């Protein structure tokens, strides 16, 4: 969601963060002949009972994670329990038949004027509800009441408009969790979706189960999210759109790759092209990482004669409420005035000769017309309004309107910790199964915990302007995941081992209670190894440098410790010299990749990215790696001033803070990627079983 000031009252109510997910369907262009305008319907997503979505050959899946999750899938109970946080988590499938995706008839054969739009819905718009937000009955709404209002006051009226006007069309984007809520509590709404999908008036976009800030995390979270999303759509008997648009308009090269795992084929790009690429080329169609991309820019292509009008790419919640959003509580209401305005806009498009259709069908037409795609050189990890949000800084360090309740680094690092705990449980489940242990119960626990984890990754817990309740939404679920993962690990390990500790190697899947007796090489205090400065007004600052021989030659660690001396202060910044003419980092979800982009090809300077695995180059053979369990903030890169920095404006509370940052000297790129992966994604974890 975006900040939107519709009245003076909204000064303290609006502008907290939103946007949804996007699709999960195989690319399927059959059944649509542009030369004749003939249409027919067909299944876009196969029934899970008969077929799986096609996998992508260029999606690298960690063998350990794959084994662990296959074990979970093989043994999971049909009905997952309601999770410990109170989120409705049943996946009971009511009898229904998979709906076939329809296609609208164009008004005349060979249409050349297209009108497309995306209405992004986010059932976690106010994650956790509004109780405690303001001392006013207007805001006395729990999470379910807010979720229901989003459906009844904004989604339902939009669907009714489309049902009343069979030539109107749009893409409706939502996370899988929203579809679960619709299926469980709003069956009439689900039937509307079925009809509109069958008639071709809508495609339902969805890429993630929760409205996660997925560009801040590695591949594991999105693997689990995609699996949960598929379950949600299969349970609702709905196909997922081939096009992908996401919460906060997130886009990454890793998303383009992961789309293949979900069976999707078109990435929708808003905002990040101009932010990323200096020499932009305007085109109807692009290619990146082997898949199609369209931007949300209206244009006319002289070569093909095709005109596209993107009439809307925005929050669906405010569409029929005169711009008011769910933070207004009981004031968030459908209005007939807004409905008439929307119907008028749609009718005007038809009157001007536009063919209203879905993004997926529009791209099919482009291929039918043999429109040539322009290859994109790269796109940085980011969101749909990067200039206003400082790209990812709004979620990873920037203070918002309700800043006293924020805790960006606490949320982001906590999510990294809890994800590793679930991964360890998955590895133990796979290991225990090889020993003949009945792991069905534990597989069900791991499945439920993965669901809680991706819900906790919701972007609204750290940006744009999260209030305390949204921050607690994430922190409560993080704590729940960590506690329940440990309890499950302890119980399952007791069925296999007799020792007091176990080691779980997330890289290999090996689990043992044989603790090595070889003494660990101690860290050695050393002089500073890089040009670093720390600014933290109102804090006592201590910098400590260590050589870390246990992690390899040329590995050093900087510990920055802050102790607050002025409770009114909340900001720190750690700045590093930058001696490179290229950005070298790992895009989100491409855990084994080091992407190299010359700074003179990047349009924005300074810019920010999220460092999903914590890695960025300082020069050609020196790399910085955040320990993402202690610091996971956006990195700001200023190539002109030869510096980069991490900034946190949300250090609230009085507890001391310590950040661990590694400096790797004389490392190759692949070795640096492997170090970051071992540190942050597949470490060896120790669990004490007597705690």
């Amino acid at each position: 969601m975006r900040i939107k000031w519709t009245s003076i009252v909204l000064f303290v109510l609006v502008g907290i963060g939103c946007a949804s997910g996007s699709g999960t369907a195989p690319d399927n262009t059959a059944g649509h002949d542009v030369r004749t305008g003939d249409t027919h319907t067909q299944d876009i997503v196969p029934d899970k009972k008969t077929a799986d979505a096609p996998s992508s050959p260029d999606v690298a899946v960690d063998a350990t994670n794959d084994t662990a999750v296959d074990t979970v899938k093989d043994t999971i109970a049909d009905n997952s329990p309601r999770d410990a946080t109170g989120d409705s988590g049943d996946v009971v499938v009511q009898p229904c038949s998979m709906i076939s995706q329809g296609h609208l008839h164009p008004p005349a054969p060979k249409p050349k004027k297209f009108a497309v739009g995306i209405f992004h819905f986010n059932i976690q718009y106010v994650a956790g509800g509004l109780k405690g937000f303001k001392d006013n009955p207007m805001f006395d709404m729990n999470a379910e009441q807010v979720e229901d209002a989003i459906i009844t006051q904004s989604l339902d009226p939009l669907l009714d408009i489309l049902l009343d006007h069979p030539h109107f069309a749009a893409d409706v984007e939502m996370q899988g969790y929203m579809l679960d809520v619709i299926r469980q509590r709003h069956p009439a709404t689900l039937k509307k979706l079925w009809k509109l999908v069958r008639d071709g008036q809508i495609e339902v976009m969805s890429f993630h189960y929760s409205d996660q800030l997925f560009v801040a995390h590695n591949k594991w979270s999105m693997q689990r999210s995609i699996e949960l999303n598929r379950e949600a759509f299969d349970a609702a008997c709905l196909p997922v759109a081939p096009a992908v648009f996401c919460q906060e308009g997130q886009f990454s090269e890793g998303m383009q790759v992961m789309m293949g795992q979900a069976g999707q084929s078109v990435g929708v790009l808003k905002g990040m092209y101009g932010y990323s690429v200096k020499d932009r080329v305007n085109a109807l169609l692009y290619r990146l990482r082997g898949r199609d991309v369209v931007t949300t820019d209206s244009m006319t292509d002289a070569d093909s004669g095709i005109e596209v009008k993107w009439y809307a790419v925005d929050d669906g919640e405010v569409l029929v409420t005169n711009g008011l959003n769910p933070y207004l509580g009981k004031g968030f209401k459908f209005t007939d005035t807004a409905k008439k305005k929307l119907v008028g806009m749609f009718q005007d498009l038809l009157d001007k000769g536009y063919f209203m259709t879905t993004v997926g069908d529009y791209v099919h037409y482009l291929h039918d017309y043999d429109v040539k795609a322009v290859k994109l050189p790269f796109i940085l990890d980011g969101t749909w309004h990067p200039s206003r949000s400082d790209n990812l800084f709004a979620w990873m360090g920037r203070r918002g309107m309700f800043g006293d309740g924020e805790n960006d680094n606490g949320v982001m690092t906590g999510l990294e910790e809890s994800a590793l705990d679930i991964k360890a449980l998955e590895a133990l489940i796979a290991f225990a199964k090889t020993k003949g242990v009945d792991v069905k119960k534990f597989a069900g626990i791991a499945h439920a915990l993965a669901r809680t984890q991706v819900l906790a990754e919701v972007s609204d817990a750290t940006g744009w302007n999260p209030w305390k309740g949204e921050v607690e939404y994430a922190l409560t679920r993080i704590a729940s995941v960590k506690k329940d993962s440990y309890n499950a690990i302890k119980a399952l390990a007791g069925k296999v081992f007799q020792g007091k500790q176990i080691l779980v190697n997330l890289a290999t899947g090996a689990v043992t209670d044989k603790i090595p007796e070889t003494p660990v090489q101690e860290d050695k205090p050393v002089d500073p190894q890089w040009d670093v400065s720390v600014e933290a007004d109102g804090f006592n600052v201590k910098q400590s440098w260590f050589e870390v021989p246990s992690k390899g030659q040329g590995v050093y660690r900087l510990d920055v410790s802050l102790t607050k001396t002025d409770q009114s202060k909340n900001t720190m910044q750690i700045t590093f010299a930058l001696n490179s003419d290229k950005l070298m980092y790992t895009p989100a979800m491409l855990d084994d990749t080091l992407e190299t982009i010359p700074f003179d090809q990047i349009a924005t300077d300074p810019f920010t990215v999220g460092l999903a695995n914590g890695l960025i180059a300082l020069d050609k053979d020196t790399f910085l790696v955040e320990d993402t369990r202690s610091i996971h903030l956006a990195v700001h890169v200023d190539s002109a001033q030869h510096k980069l920095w991490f900034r946190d404006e949300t250090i609230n509370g009085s507890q001391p803070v310590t950040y661990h940052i590694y400096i790797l000297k004389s490392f190759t790129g692949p070795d640096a990627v492997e170090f970051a992966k071992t540190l942050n994604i597949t470490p060896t974890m120790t669990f004490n079983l007597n705690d």
Side-chain angles (χ1 to χ4, degrees):
M1 153 196 107
R2 304 172 317 185
I3 298 176
K4 190 168 289 187
W5 309 105
T6 56
S7 74
I8 191 66
V9 174
L10 299 188
F11 181 78
V12 294
L13 302 178
V14 181
I16 308 171
C18 278
S20 287
S22 306
T24 322
D27 183 18
N28 196 334
T29 59
H32 194 131
D33 191 334
V34 70
R35 292 168 294 281
T36 65
D38 291 341
T39 62
H40 67 267
T41 61
Q42 64 185 69
D43 287 340
I44 284 187
V45 175
D47 192 317
K48 65 178 178 179
K49 298 180 180 61
T50 59
D52 292 326
S55 60
S56 170
D58 58 351
V59 177
V61 179
D62 295 335
T64 305
N65 285 346
D66 215 17
T67 301
V69 77
D70 283 346
T71 300
V72 171
K73 286 179 177 177
D74 290 344
T75 56
I76 187 141
D78 290 336
N79 299 332
S80 297
R82 191 176 187 84
D83 68 32
T85 59
D87 297 312
S88 180
D90 74 280
V91 289
V92 178
V93 180
Q94 301 298 326
C96 61
S97 298
M98 182 60 67
I99 300 298
S100 296
Q101 178 67 57
H103 307 280
L104 275 184
H105 234 345
K110 301 181 180 181
K112 289 290 186 82
K113 293 181 66 173
F114 297 91
V116 290
I118 300 171
F119 298 117
H120 155 67
F121 286 88
N122 176 10
I123 201 74
Q124 295 162 288
Y125 205 110
V126 189
L130 282 164
K131 284 187 176 292
F133 180 55
K134 294 288 179 183
D135 186 17
N136 187 314
M138 179 177 177
F139 306 102
D140 187 22
M141 297 177 70
N142 63 27
E144 287 194 356
Q145 289 170 319
V146 174
E147 292 169 354
D148 289 343
I150 289 170
I151 293 167
T152 62
Q153 301 303 312
S154 59
L155 176 62
D156 258 340
L158 172 63
L159 301 183
D160 289 339
I161 289 170
L162 294 170
L163 288 168
D164 289 341
H165 300 83
H167 297 296
F168 292 175
D171 281 83
V172 174
E173 188 274 333
M174 66 181 71
Q175 68 270 62
Y177 174 54
M178 182 168 182
L179 191 56
D180 273 350
V181 171
I182 290 171
R183 177 175 57 83
Q184 293 163 12
R185 304 204 300 264
H186 299 272
T189 303
L190 181 58
K191 291 180 180 179
K192 295 176 186 179
L193 289 171
W194 285 346
K195 176 170 174 51
L196 290 167
V197 166
R198 186 184 293 113
D199 291 348
Q201 286 183 260
I202 66 170
E203 288 183 347
V204 182
M205 288 182 167
S206 191
F207 183 58
H208 34 63
Y209 181 77
S210 165
D211 268 11
Q212 301 150 256
L213 188 70
F214 63 81
V215 292
H217 301 291
N218 60 68
K219 181 171 59 182
W220 177 87
S221 287
M222 275 311 301
Q223 287 176 320
R224 300 301 173 267
S225 189
I226 287 170
E227 291 155 6
L228 288 160
N229 215 41
R230 180 61 182 267
E231 290 175 9
F233 275 78
D234 282 353
C237 294
L238 275 175
V240 192
V244 170
F245 186 77
C246 295
Q247 165 72 352
E248 298 296 355
Q250 291 170 89
F251 193 97
S252 75
E253 295 188 31
M255 181 193 86
Q256 286 290 108
V257 173
M258 293 291 284
M259 278 165 34
Q261 180 176 325
Q264 296 163 294
S265 57
V266 184
V268 180
L269 177 58
K270 178 178 179 178
M272 284 306 297
Y273 190 10
Y275 185 86
S276 300
V277 180
K278 182 174 291 184
D279 297 322
R280 173 173 175 158
V281 177
N282 290 327
L284 294 172
L285 186 65
Y286 302 88
R287 293 286 284 181
L288 180 65
R289 296 274 176 176
R291 292 181 178 82
D292 289 339
V293 176
V294 291
T295 68
T296 58
D297 300 303
S298 298
M299 66 180 74
T300 301
D301 179 63
D303 292 337
S304 65
I306 293 174
E307 179 184 352
V308 60
K309 172 74 172 179
W310 288 84
Y311 60 80
V313 183
D314 211 337
D315 291 352
E317 293 87 355
V318 301
L319 191 66
V320 289
T321 61
N322 275 339
L324 302 182
N325 69 42
Y327 286 101
L328 283 172
K330 297 172 185 177
F332 172 66
K333 294 285 187 182
F334 162 77
T335 70
D336 195 59
T337 301
K339 172 186 173 180
K340 291 178 180 178
K341 182 179 179 181
L342 181 63
V343 170
M345 181 186 75
F346 283 176
Q347 187 59 52
D348 184 60
L349 290 168
L350 294 180
D351 293 344
K352 290 178 178 177
Y354 287 99
F355 171 37
M356 295 187 73
T357 189
T358 62
V359 174
D361 263 8
Y362 162 65
V363 174
H364 292 168
Y365 276 103
L366 295 182
H367 284 292
D368 286 345
Y369 282 122
D370 199 25
V371 172
K372 302 303 180 186
V374 173
K375 184 177 180 180
L376 290 170
F378 64 91
I379 296 293
L380 301 176
D381 290 348
T383 63
W384 59 352
H385 300 294
S387 297
R388 287 169 41 201
S389 65
D390 292 323
N391 199 19
L392 288 171
F393 183 42
W395 295 269
M396 302 179 74
R398 192 172 81 177
R399 193 174 185 84
M401 185 187 304
F402 309 108
D404 288 345
E406 286 192 70
N407 187 2
D408 287 6
N409 194 57
V411 170
M412 300 307 298
T413 57
L415 289 168
E416 294 294 299
E417 291 178 343
S418 55
L420 290 176
D421 287 343
I422 303 173
K423 291 166 75 172
L425 175 59
E426 291 178 345
L428 179 58
I429 289 169
F431 179 82
K433 188 176 182 182
T434 68
K435 301 300 181 182
V437 176
D438 182 357
V439 297
K440 184 175 182 179
K441 169 186 173 182
F442 297 98
I445 292 171
H447 183 272
L449 289 174
R451 181 178 179 278
T452 303
Q453 172 73 22
V454 300
L455 289 173
E457 291 177 7
V458 65
S459 67
D460 291 77
T462 57
W464 295 67
N465 296 295
W467 76 282
K468 185 177 180 180
E470 292 174 302
V471 179
E472 290 299 323
Y473 176 92
L475 292 175
T476 299
R477 283 158 181 76
I478 290 167
S480 174
V481 167
K482 293 166 74 171
K483 176 184 175 183
D484 292 346
S485 294
Y486 172 73
N487 287 338
I489 288 170
K490 183 177 177 180
L492 181 55
K495 297 178 180 292
V496 182
F497 300 108
Q498 301 300 316
K500 299 179 180 179
Q501 283 186 327
I502 60 169
L503 296 181
V504 182
N505 186 322
L506 296 184
T508 66
V511 184
T512 182
D513 63 348
K514 309 301 182 186
I515 309 301
E517 296 181 1
T518 305
V520 177
Q521 294 175 284
E522 294 185 359
D523 299 345
K524 301 176 182 179
V526 294
D527 292 334
Q529 297 295 305
W530 201 256
D531 182 5
V532 180
S533 65
V534 181
E535 303 170 57
D537 184 31
F539 294 84
N540 284 330
V541 178
K542 180 182 178 182
Q543 294 187 50
S544 304
W545 284 90
F546 301 91
E547 183 180 5
V548 191
S550 63
K551 294 189 179 296
Q553 186 174 357
V555 177
Y556 301 89
R557 189 183 73 244
L558 167 63
D559 292 351
V560 177
S561 299
L562 305 180
T563 304
K564 187 172 286 192
T565 58
D566 183 342
Q567 294 302 314
S568 68
K569 304 298 183 181
N570 47 57
T571 299
M572 75 86 198
Q573 181 169 308
I574 308 174
T575 303
F576 294 80
L578 177 63
N579 300 332
S580 177
D581 61 355
K582 303 177 182 68
L583 169 66
M584 290 186 279
Y585 85 121
T586 298
M589 300 172 288
L590 298 181
D591 297 351
D592 299 304
T593 299
L594 183 68
E595 182 150 11
T596 301
I597 306 167
F599 286 132
D600 62 11
Q601 294 182 16
I602 298 176
T604 307
D605 193 34
F607 63 88
T608 75
V609 287
L611 302 187
N613 70 343
L615 173 69
I616 189 169
L618 296 174
D619 68 19
K620 61 183 175 59
D621 61 0
T622 304
F623 295 83
L624 178 155
V625 182
E626 298 173 297
D627 177 344
T628 56
R629 283 166 282 179
S630 71
I631 177 170
H632 196 24
L633 300 166
V635 64
H636 304 247
V637 180
D638 190 330
S639 64
Q641 297 298 318
H642 307 290
K643 63 182 180 179
L644 61 81
W645 63 93
F646 301 92
R647 183 178 178 86
D648 189 358
E649 300 173 350
T650 68
I651 309 174
N652 297 305
S654 58
Q655 293 299 312
V657 179
T658 299
Y659 309 107
H660 304 300
I661 301 171
Y662 287 85
I663 303 297
L664 314 181
K665 290 190 168 184
S666 299
F667 266 62
T668 67
D671 286 345
V673 171
E674 185 61 29
F675 180 93
K677 187 174 182 180
T678 300
L679 177 69
N680 292 322
I681 301 175
T682 59
T684 295
M685 303 181 68
T686 302
F687 293 90
N688 295 315
L689 304 180
N690 290 338
D691 290 351

